[in-house]
Amino acid sequence: SVISEFIASDILKLNNFDKKVFKELFDEDESVILFWDALDEVSPEYEDLLNILFKTIKEETEICQIISTRPEYSDNLAQNLNAVVYKIAPFDAEERNQFLNLMLIDYKLDEETKNVSLDKIKKFIEKTEKKTMGDGRTVNTPIMLKMIAEAALDTKNIDLNNRYLVFKSFVDKRMTTLRCNRLENISISEINPYIAHQIYALKVVFGISEITDNSLDIFKEESKVVLEHMASYGILTIFNGELEFIHQTLAEFFVAQYFIENIYNLQLD
């Protein structure tokens, strides 16, 4: 069908074999479920196109669609598609404590260190919830709790003062664990990985496609070696031959970092 061809070729960009398999399943198997993840991360210029696509699939096929997005986008989407909305709530206090205790077990901490870390985490969450009028969505999710826990265990961060430092601690840890690779006799490690991630973040968040920093010319090639090197930090992943952030909030962090360092000329410790 025209719909399956468009999805396979223009959205998923599948190779010939995968395209054939996808189209056969899409056109002939009514049990197929399409899962559209992180709709809120799509560039606004494609919003109308995707709404038309979702509506067309719903009206012209029997295929079930599941669309994930941030809560603030879900109501409009549901209204446009006349769809049912399920909202995933953040952890409550008991669930949060269970998650943190299970996670900290992996660190094999002694009881005193564990309790100190939990106290840091609790104080940071209370401070954040107070600033956000009790809105726990900003901190009571698995990825944020993991970041907060890692920051609490970082001896350099005596106090967790804000979310920027939590993200910075999470990123710093990954930036310092990379082994040096070489590409065409140029040490990739000589290029500031923060700048490289900031450039990709600007591209993701604002659609800026041109790399203007001459020190990053090497990344224009986006060869397999370069992509694998960038993904090895654990902040970006490779999907369909392109780099993607493992979570949109990390892209937003690098954009904030770029603005702070290059526009406002500040250094936050």
Side-chain angles (χ1 to χ4, degrees):
S1 68
V2 175
I3 302 174
S4 62
E5 174 65 29
F6 175 73
I7 296 173
S9 300
D10 295 295
I11 296 182
L12 300 179
K13 303 184 185 305
L14 301 176
N15 61 40
N16 289 334
F17 176 77
D18 290 339
K19 182 192 293 186
K20 182 179 179 181
V21 172
F22 176 84
K23 291 181 66 176
E24 285 183 2
L25 288 171
F26 188 98
D27 295 331
E28 300 174 17
D29 190 345
E30 295 181 356
S31 65
V32 166
I33 297 175
L34 282 180
F35 190 96
W36 305 96
D37 187 29
L39 186 66
D40 51 283
E41 298 177 16
V42 175
S43 174
E45 64 185 289
Y46 297 112
E47 185 176 334
D48 290 340
L49 173 64
L50 287 175
N51 280 328
I52 293 171
L53 176 62
F54 298 151
K55 188 172 287 188
T56 303
I57 293 172
K58 182 176 181 180
E59 293 174 351
E60 302 294 332
T61 75
E62 297 297 322
I63 288 177
C64 173
Q65 298 180 89
I66 299 175
I67 305 170
S68 76
T69 187
R70 293 184 181 182
E72 55 266 32
Y73 297 94
S74 61
D75 291 336
N76 286 338
L77 187 66
Q79 186 175 358
N80 292 337
L81 298 177
N82 190 26
V84 178
V85 175
Y86 295 92
K87 295 187 177 180
I88 300 175
F91 290 144
D92 59 27
E94 183 179 352
E95 292 167 334
R96 180 180 68 216
N97 291 337
Q98 289 176 351
F99 178 84
L100 288 170
N101 276 293
L102 287 172
M103 190 177 67
L104 291 176
I105 288 174
D106 294 335
Y107 291 97
K108 298 180 173 58
L109 306 173
D110 59 70
E111 198 63 25
E112 182 181 356
T113 305
K114 177 183 173 183
N115 289 334
V116 169
S117 300
L118 286 171
D119 186 57
K120 278 187 187 180
I121 295 168
K122 181 181 177 183
K123 287 179 179 177
F124 175 80
I125 290 173
E126 287 175 350
K127 185 192 303 182
T128 304
E129 288 183 331
K130 186 176 180 180
K131 288 180 179 178
T132 57
M133 306 294 288
D135 186 355
R137 290 179 300 172
T138 58
V139 287
N140 289 320
T141 59
I143 188 168
M144 275 306 302
L145 288 173
K146 179 176 175 58
M147 289 184 182
I148 295 166
E150 285 194 8
L153 292 168
D154 186 348
T155 55
K156 291 179 291 184
N157 291 331
I158 298 173
D159 291 312
L160 301 178
N161 294 318
N162 56 59
R163 275 180 287 173
Y164 178 87
L165 293 180
V166 169
F167 275 86
K168 189 174 186 300
S169 174
F170 181 86
V171 167
D172 283 348
K173 184 174 181 180
R174 281 144 186 81
M175 292 295 184
T176 56
T177 56
L178 179 70
R179 286 183 247 169
C180 178
N181 293 321
R182 291 190 171 271
L183 176 66
E184 299 176 351
N185 297 321
I186 300 174
S187 174
I188 299 179
S189 62
E190 291 174 3
I191 297 175
N192 188 323
Y194 277 103
I195 296 176
H197 282 76
Q198 288 171 4
I199 293 297
Y200 278 105
L202 289 168
K203 177 179 178 180
V204 168
V205 176
F206 296 112
I208 298 173
S209 57
E210 292 297 321
I211 297 176
T212 56
D213 191 311
N214 293 332
S215 67
L216 294 177
D217 284 345
I218 192 171
F219 291 105
K220 286 183 178 179
E221 302 173 22
E222 293 198 355
S223 68
K224 183 179 178 182
V225 176
V226 172
L227 294 179
E228 289 179 351
H229 173 85
M230 291 298 293
S232 67
Y233 288 97
I235 296 168
L236 291 157
T237 187
I238 302 172
F239 180 73
N240 281 346
E242 295 183 359
L243 290 167
E244 292 186 355
F245 282 91
I246 60 172
H247 199 273
Q248 179 74 358
T249 52
L250 286 164
E252 292 164 358
F253 161 76
F254 280 108
V255 169
Q257 187 181 60
Y258 177 86
F259 286 159
I260 289 168
E261 294 176 355
N262 295 280
I263 295 179
Y264 295 105
N265 266 338
L266 298 174
Q267 293 294 328
L268 296 184
D269 296 320

